[in-house]
Amino acid sequence: MILWLWLCWGFSTSAGQPDSELMARYLEEKLMADYSIMEQVARRVPRQAKFLQRLETRPRMSEFTVKSTIISRYAFTTVSCTMVNSGSEAREAVFEMQIPAAAFISNFTMSIGNKTYYGEVTGKEKKHSSDDKARDKKPPSTTDGRENGYERFKASVFIPRKMQAKFLLHYEELLQRRLGKYEYTVSIRPQQLVGRLRVEVNILENSGIVSLEVPPLRNSKHKGNGKVEGDVSPPPSTVVGHTKTLAKVTFNPSVVEQTRIARNGILGDFIIRYDVKRELSVGDVQILNGYFVHYFAPTDLPPLPKNVVFVLDSSASMVGTKLKQTKEALFTILQDLRPEDHFNIIGFSNRIKVWQQDRLVPVTPNNIRDAKKYIHNMSPTGGTNINGALQTGAKLLNDYIAQNDIDARTVSLIIFLTDGRPTVGETQSSKILSNTKDAIRDKFCLFTIGIGNDVDQKLLERMALENCGMTRHFQEDEDAASHLKGFYDEIGTPLLSDIRVDYPEDNVEQVTQNFFPNYFNGSEIIIAGKLINHTSDSLHVEVTASNSKKYILLKTDVAIDLPSRNDIRGVPGLEDGKGDKNYIERAWSYLTIKELLNSRLKSDDNQEKDYLTEKAKSMALTYNFVTPFTVLKMREAGLHSEPPQEDFISPLTDGIGEKLQSLQGHKAPPGIHRQQDKQRIKISKTSADGDPHFVIDFPSSKFSVCFNIDGEPGDILRLVSDHKESGVTVNGKLIGAPAPPNGHKKHRTYFSTITILSNKPERSYLEITPKRIILDDGERLLLSCDRSAVVRSSSLEVSISANSNITVTIRDTVSFVILIHHYKKPAPYQRDHLGFYISNSKGLSSDSHGLLGQFLNHEVKLLQESLNTSHQQVGQNQTEALKPNPTNTLKVKGRLVPVVWKQRRIYNGQQEVDCWFAKNNADKLIDGSYKDYLASHPFDTGTSFGMTNNV
């Protein structure tokens, strides 16, 4: 019989307790010998005989293994546990596992001796009988002592003497993104030291894995493991390996290492955090066998201004640590408010106390200081008037929005915190819910926080669900200050409002929630659905949203590949039918069931509740999920059945790209709507493109004029200068390239950057390159050129056709089109560059200047030079006859410019324009000389030669 180490830790030093690490090494060797893991025999260390009886009261755990595979945020987890009864009589073995509250159990199997029992998910009609040997996962509850954020699965069986039992638990979850990271957590609490303990997590993210980290083990109650502050090293024996899209993390502590962590076998939570590569785009759309999932989490967006009312419980039950930690958290939160935000604070007990009556105040140093004083002076007293506090907060926010004509693109919200149940005023939950909903009227969101075991968490959860918010619950002995600050960090930076994601109605069905009031920085919006048009080769996706003063439209077409390209059944570990699990289909079913459960929770109609219950139950039975409406019943598999085997999904490390489709929805698939986008663009011939070649169209004269500018790399050319009148300036920066062989030029130049500036009615600028666009109108927005998007504000619209062109419209009277020239296999003299075209110049003044701008409101006359040097004006019908004559002349502002007839390719080289060509860097054609049009920097708005202005 092996003596367990934890039985000795109760001894005092005087009793002769040996060194714990020495004993751990002894135990490890002994365990290895008993379980035939290592051929080592350790000497027996004597112990008091009175503990032998205690030792035999529970079986030993010989193995505890967790294997998980995360494919595109969807996690499959298998927990395997083996227990050995080496005693002389049958003993009870208890298998207990904490699993995330958001997870669904999908299977459970156990083998006892030569008998195997498997779990069968059935509809819940009545409670389990007392002779059930395994209890199903119960619906979430805050009054049963379970750990915060977890639910407890427990199965107990009797193991005959000298035999073993093996348990296999499977559960699934869709990882949620919070504070910019996905967090996968495994509870490692075997409650005894284990001879073979291993955690293995495989991650596959075709978008690309970034910021992978494994923090120290986390104790469930104190959110730490007793390590010194600042220790962020992974747990001992952790091995992390990853490539661009794959990661493998293992945790395999020996018994010695286990005892250093925790002497009672309760090690804590093993955590993996990571993120994926992303940009402002339509998101990551993945399609597999008739199902799709769409992940949307844009970055590089300016925060939206917010109007926030903090409603804080100051009743007598908050006395002590709870109120102290709440104050500490609020002090930090107030410091994080932005200058454009507005706020107020309400403290409530049996009385409602408003800090600033009938208004929200701006964030200023003085207001923050006064708010901190108000919070500091809050004292716990009286009862809990939840209804009155929420009515006061809602009225305060509603009045502020109505009276101040708040921009619809700000975000308004209430953050409500309490530790108790309603005891003063309205105490009936149903009335509080209806009163709150009537007061808010879908105008803003309510976020609720509960602390301790006395809070009515169901009330807080439903209030948040009904009013587009979220809820959190923290245990009384946890660090409430850090939790409150963490929750605020999740919602403190709204980036988008009124987000809507649309797909063609004739292409999809059973789509999950596709409208979201807000998107917060660090979070993620997930939509899933079924494809019904099996003949279509693409799925069109459009995302519309608001960001501060801008309206954003993102769109793309996602190619639907053949099913064989998306099949993962060839991946090792998916044998025996496991590979038939379509992870995208299961993600869709997971989201759908969650939404049905939330809808049921919000409903007050019994008939509707019954319908939602049956629908959720039916789907849960189809996908073998244990939910509040399904149960896991154990059935005996028969005397000759094989013991349960560990089966888990593990991705291939080689060639996975051929097995799995993870199309970036924002990438423009080859051949899809690219030509159509170009044909829809309306642009005139007036342009600067290529090396660069300039074309000016004179519609009334029915001819065009063209010229070249042989600039130097790094030169910044003024293309349009109308800063004083219309407020519009366009500058183009040149990049150099070698000249083609046998050419007459020493080098080529192209436009690498186009900068468009506007200062009316307010200052803004666009900086465009072949790869990305920076839009800054006081708030900086970064857009990628390989993603279709539309961004619109009150005076500016930017429309991107992926990898094709950008259309910029200013006040609906000025439009520019920038063509994107990409080379797949560029020659040495070619560079990715831009072409600049003027589509609409009505909004530019007659004083507009620049290499192109000076001609927009002036006419040019074409003359023919006779032999006696007299000039003859050419009529429009004579232009054709003059083409062969090399001595034609233009009359420009009184200047005579010799020109020749030429053909020039424009519009990405797909069209030709006939034009009169002026040589020698447009000498005499343009005012001044080429050097007069050089800007000192991209944001130079000078309009006269030699004058430099800055925006």
Side-chain angles (χ1 to χ4, degrees):
M1 182 64 64
I2 297 173
L3 298 180
W4 294 100
L5 183 57
W6 64 270
L7 294 175
C8 306
W9 287 332
F11 287 104
S12 64
T13 305
S14 59
Q17 178 181 358
D19 176 77
S20 61
E21 190 166 315
L22 176 64
M23 290 305 303
R25 289 197 180 95
Y26 160 77
L27 178 58
E28 181 175 25
E29 293 175 356
K30 195 63 179 173
L31 287 168
M32 296 298 136
D34 278 4
Y35 305 148
S36 300
I37 299 173
M38 293 177 60
E39 293 182 358
Q40 297 178 5
V41 180
R43 60 184 179 86
R44 182 180 296 278
V45 178
R47 289 291 182 272
Q48 281 84 343
K50 64 180 180 179
F51 291 103
L52 291 176
Q53 185 177 0
R54 290 178 57 187
L55 179 64
E56 292 188 353
T57 60
R58 66 171 180 173
R60 301 179 310 230
M61 188 177 294
S62 64
E63 171 260 346
F64 182 87
T65 303
V66 179
K67 292 186 178 181
S68 174
T69 290
I70 303 169
I71 307 178
S72 296
R73 294 77 145 172
Y74 196 77
F76 298 87
T77 302
T78 298
V79 182
S80 172
C81 175
T82 302
M83 294 186 181
V84 179
N85 178 15
S86 56
S88 58
E89 59 183 30
R91 301 293 184 188
E92 184 182 23
V94 178
F95 169 67
E96 197 169 332
M97 183 70 187
Q98 290 183 2
I99 68 173
F104 286 146
I105 291 173
S106 57
N107 203 355
F108 177 64
T109 310
M110 58 185 180
S111 175
I112 307 164
N114 60 354
K115 290 186 178 182
T116 299
Y117 302 86
Y118 66 93
E120 179 183 336
V121 178
T122 63
K124 182 183 287 186
E125 303 296 340
K126 57 182 180 180
K127 294 183 179 180
H128 290 314
S129 60
S130 59
D131 61 347
D132 279 344
K133 293 183 179 177
R135 302 184 182 95
D136 62 293
K137 175 186 165 188
K138 296 180 181 179
S141 171
T142 58
T143 59
D144 57 6
R146 292 190 172 113
E147 300 290 349
N148 180 35
Y150 292 91
E151 295 174 12
R152 188 163 303 177
F153 178 89
K154 186 176 181 181
S156 60
V157 298
F158 279 85
I159 305 177
R161 58 185 294 271
K162 307 298 182 181
M163 298 190 76
Q164 69 176 22
K166 185 169 185 177
F167 305 88
L168 277 180
L169 174 68
H170 303 263
Y171 61 88
E172 302 174 20
E173 61 182 313
L174 184 60
L175 302 185
Q176 301 298 307
R177 188 170 183 257
R178 293 178 180 171
L179 302 177
K181 295 285 184 68
Y182 303 101
E183 183 174 291
Y184 175 76
T185 304
V186 175
S187 174
I188 307 176
R189 292 171 172 82
Q191 302 185 50
Q192 55 180 277
L193 300 178
V194 183
R196 185 172 57 191
L197 192 154
R198 179 179 174 83
V199 177
E200 179 181 319
V201 181
N202 295 278
I203 304 171
L204 169 62
E205 295 285 354
N206 274 21
S207 303
I209 298 172
V210 296
S211 305
L212 179 67
E213 62 182 46
V214 183
L217 291 169
R218 181 176 65 191
N219 180 282
S220 60
K221 291 188 176 182
H222 303 290
K223 303 304 176 189
N225 64 340
K227 292 182 178 286
V228 294
E229 186 175 352
D231 184 5
V232 294
S233 58
S237 79
T238 300
V239 178
V240 181
H242 68 91
T243 62
K244 182 181 178 181
T245 59
L246 291 161
K248 182 175 183 177
V249 180
T250 59
F251 174 56
N252 189 22
S254 65
V255 175
V256 173
E257 290 167 324
Q258 291 174 48
T259 194
R260 289 174 182 168
I261 299 169
R263 298 179 176 182
N264 57 2
I266 302 178
L267 305 187
D269 296 326
F270 184 76
I271 303 167
I272 298 173
R273 299 191 185 106
Y274 72 95
D275 199 15
V276 299
K277 292 183 179 179
R278 67 184 83 244
E279 298 178 36
L280 175 61
S281 66
V282 76
D284 181 8
V285 182
Q286 302 184 21
I287 300 171
L288 177 60
N289 295 341
Y291 293 84
F292 74 91
V293 63
H294 183 180
Y295 301 100
F296 181 63
T299 58
D300 296 315
L301 290 167
L304 290 170
K306 60 181 178 293
N307 314 302
V308 56
V309 176
F310 299 96
V311 182
L312 309 175
D313 189 345
S314 60
S315 61
S317 59
M318 288 286 289
V319 68
T321 304
K322 283 186 285 189
L323 186 58
K324 178 184 177 182
Q325 291 187 335
T326 300
K327 291 180 178 181
E328 290 174 359
L330 261 294
F331 291 158
T332 306
I333 289 170
L334 290 174
Q335 287 299 130
D336 287 348
L337 292 174
R338 296 180 178 83
E340 61 271 19
D341 296 338
H342 291 74
F343 74 106
N344 203 341
I345 302 168
I346 297 174
F348 73 95
S349 52
N350 53 331
R351 297 175 56 193
I352 314 297
K353 299 179 181 179
V354 182
W355 171 47
Q356 296 287 339
Q357 289 293 333
D358 302 325
R359 64 183 181 135
L360 269 67
V361 299
V363 176
T364 64
N366 287 342
N367 285 337
I368 295 298
R369 179 199 61 203
D370 294 344
K372 288 182 177 180
K373 288 181 181 178
Y374 175 80
I375 293 172
H376 176 75
N377 293 329
M378 289 177 64
S379 58
T381 181
T384 308
N385 189 352
I386 290 178
N387 184 73
L390 287 171
Q391 293 297 304
T392 303
K395 184 178 186 305
L396 186 67
L397 203 47
N398 275 316
D399 291 347
Y400 177 78
I401 293 172
Q403 295 169 8
N404 292 274
D405 190 25
I406 297 302
D407 193 310
R409 292 167 188 166
T410 63
V411 171
S412 300
L413 50 94
I414 291 177
I415 298 178
F416 176 83
L417 180 146
T418 184
D419 75 327
R421 298 171 180 270
T423 60
V424 176
E426 180 59 66
T427 58
Q428 190 173 340
S429 294
S430 59
K431 290 188 176 180
I432 295 175
L433 287 168
S434 61
N435 292 343
T436 302
K437 193 169 183 178
D438 291 343
I440 291 177
R441 301 194 301 274
D442 296 325
K443 290 188 176 181
F444 46 85
C445 297
L446 171 64
F447 297 85
T448 60
I449 304 169
I451 302 178
N453 294 327
D454 296 329
V455 70
D456 187 346
Q457 190 58 29
K458 287 187 177 180
L459 173 63
L460 298 186
E461 182 181 11
R462 185 167 172 185
M463 280 197 302
L465 281 174
E466 290 185 350
N467 297 283
C468 72
M470 297 185 292
T471 188
R472 291 288 185 272
H473 177 245
F474 309 130
Q475 295 295 338
E476 194 167 336
D477 54 354
E478 293 178 340
D479 182 1
S482 64
H483 281 304
L484 290 173
K485 178 59 170 63
F487 182 54
Y488 173 79
D489 288 344
E490 290 186 46
I491 61 176
T493 309
L495 298 183
L496 294 172
S497 62
D498 300 328
I499 305 99
R500 184 177 182 88
V501 185
D502 289 307
Y503 314 91
E505 292 184 359
D506 57 347
N507 276 20
V508 299
E509 66 177 0
Q510 299 184 43
V511 177
T512 58
Q513 178 184 350
N514 68 332
F515 177 80
F516 304 86
N518 301 301
Y519 165 72
F520 297 100
N521 188 37
S523 64
E524 184 171 59
I525 289 172
I526 307 176
I527 310 105
K530 297 175 66 175
L531 301 177
I532 56 176
N533 186 354
H534 299 293
T535 62
S536 176
D537 60 356
S538 66
L539 174 65
H540 185 71
V541 183
E542 289 192 2
V543 179
T544 57
S546 298
N547 170 262
S548 188
K549 300 176 182 179
K550 305 181 192 70
Y551 166 85
I552 298 174
L553 169 63
L554 307 171
K555 55 184 178 179
T556 195
D557 291 273
V558 181
I560 301 176
D561 281 355
L562 295 174
S564 59
R565 288 190 59 185
N566 308 322
D567 202 338
I568 58 175
R569 281 177 289 188
V571 177
L574 302 185
E575 297 82 4
D576 301 326
K578 193 74 170 185
D580 292 333
K581 285 192 174 182
N582 179 342
Y583 71 97
I584 294 180
E585 180 182 357
R586 296 190 75 80
W588 165 77
S589 65
Y590 176 97
L591 284 172
T592 302
I593 293 172
K594 289 288 185 182
E595 290 184 5
L596 290 170
L597 296 178
N598 287 338
S599 298
R600 184 185 183 279
L601 180 63
K602 292 188 292 184
S603 176
D604 289 320
D605 184 272
N606 289 332
Q607 187 174 356
E608 182 184 27
K609 277 190 172 184
D610 291 341
Y611 168 77
L612 294 170
T613 298
E614 290 304 315
K615 193 171 181 180
K617 183 193 297 185
S618 175
M619 182 165 283
L621 291 174
T622 300
Y623 291 93
N624 217 59
F625 285 148
V626 177
T627 68
F629 309 119
T630 53
V631 296
L632 190 66
K633 293 184 176 180
M634 303 307 299
R635 312 289 187 192
E636 186 173 350
L639 295 177
H640 302 290
S641 61
E642 294 293 328
Q645 302 294 321
E646 300 175 36
D647 61 334
F648 63 99
I649 296 180
S650 175
L652 271 178
T653 57
D654 298 317
I656 190 66
E658 300 176 359
K659 296 285 184 181
L660 182 68
Q661 178 189 19
S662 178
L663 282 173
Q664 293 288 341
H666 46 260
K667 295 286 185 182
I672 296 180
H673 295 293
R674 288 288 309 280
Q675 296 301 323
Q676 291 88 326
D677 286 342
K678 288 183 184 178
Q679 293 169 6
R680 286 197 299 265
I681 298 300
K682 178 185 177 182
I683 51 182
S684 73
K685 299 173 184 177
T686 302
S687 60
D689 205 342
D691 188 11
H693 303 317
F694 290 75
V695 176
I696 302 118
D697 188 36
F698 296 98
S700 61
S701 300
K702 294 188 178 179
F703 64 78
S704 300
V705 176
C706 51
F707 60 92
N708 293 346
I709 292 294
D710 296 327
E712 296 294 328
D715 283 353
I716 300 172
L717 307 185
R718 304 180 196 275
L719 303 178
V720 177
S721 297
D722 197 27
H723 183 72
K724 289 185 177 179
E725 300 298 329
S726 67
V728 176
T729 301
V730 182
N731 295 327
K733 183 177 181 179
L734 298 179
I735 188 176
N742 304 319
H744 65 282
K745 294 184 177 182
K746 61 180 179 179
H747 58 243
R748 281 190 166 189
T749 53
Y750 304 94
F751 285 119
S752 63
T753 306
I754 300 291
T755 306
I756 302 173
L757 307 103
S758 174
N759 70 341
K760 293 182 180 181
E762 55 191 15
R763 174 195 175 279
S764 60
Y765 76 83
L766 279 158
E767 189 176 66
I768 303 169
T769 72
K771 292 186 177 180
R772 57 108 182 99
I773 301 167
I774 297 175
L775 169 59
D776 194 324
D777 58 355
E779 296 173 337
R780 184 182 174 95
L781 181 64
L782 182 65
L783 302 161
S784 178
C785 291
D786 63 356
R787 288 123 173 104
S788 295
V790 177
V791 179
R792 186 180 301 130
S793 65
S794 57
S795 61
L796 181 68
E797 179 179 306
V798 181
S799 178
I800 305 170
S801 178
N803 291 322
S804 177
N805 56 70
I806 301 107
T807 302
V808 179
T809 304
I810 303 172
R811 299 187 298 275
D812 294 325
T813 59
V814 178
S815 296
F816 304 126
V817 176
I818 295 89
L819 297 187
I820 304 170
H821 299 271
H822 280 298
Y823 297 95
K824 292 182 179 180
K825 297 180 179 180
Y829 53 86
Q830 293 177 324
R831 296 287 185 272
D832 288 351
H833 65 280
L834 302 172
F836 175 74
Y837 293 75
I838 298 177
S839 177
N840 181 5
S841 60
K842 291 180 181 178
L844 298 175
S845 74
S846 58
D847 293 329
S848 176
H849 211 270
L851 287 168
L852 292 175
Q854 63 186 295
F855 300 105
L856 296 176
N857 293 289
H858 294 277
E859 283 300 318
V860 176
K861 294 180 179 179
L862 180 63
L863 308 175
Q864 183 180 29
E865 186 160 344
S866 63
L867 294 178
N868 62 4
T869 69
S870 64
H871 299 149
Q872 177 182 351
Q873 183 171 340
V874 177
Q876 297 174 6
N877 58 347
Q878 295 177 282
T879 302
E880 293 294 324
L882 292 174
K883 290 178 185 178
N885 193 333
T887 59
N888 291 312
T889 303
L890 292 178
K891 187 174 182 180
V892 182
K893 299 179 182 179
R895 301 186 298 268
L896 299 180
V897 185
V899 292
V900 296
W901 188 253
K902 199 168 187 176
Q903 283 191 329
R904 176 149 287 174
R905 289 185 179 274
I906 59 174
Y907 304 163
N908 270 355
Q910 295 177 357
Q911 297 185 28
E912 290 185 347
V913 59
D914 295 330
C915 63
W916 294 103
F917 179 72
K919 298 181 180 180
N920 301 323
N921 264 1
D923 183 35
K924 296 183 182 181
L925 176 68
I926 60 175
D927 295 337
S929 68
Y930 155 72
K931 292 186 178 180
D932 293 325
Y933 295 86
L934 296 181
S936 60
H937 55 80
F939 304 99
D940 184 356
T941 59
T943 55
S944 300
F945 300 151
M947 181 182 295
T948 299
N949 293 334
N950 296 326
V951 175

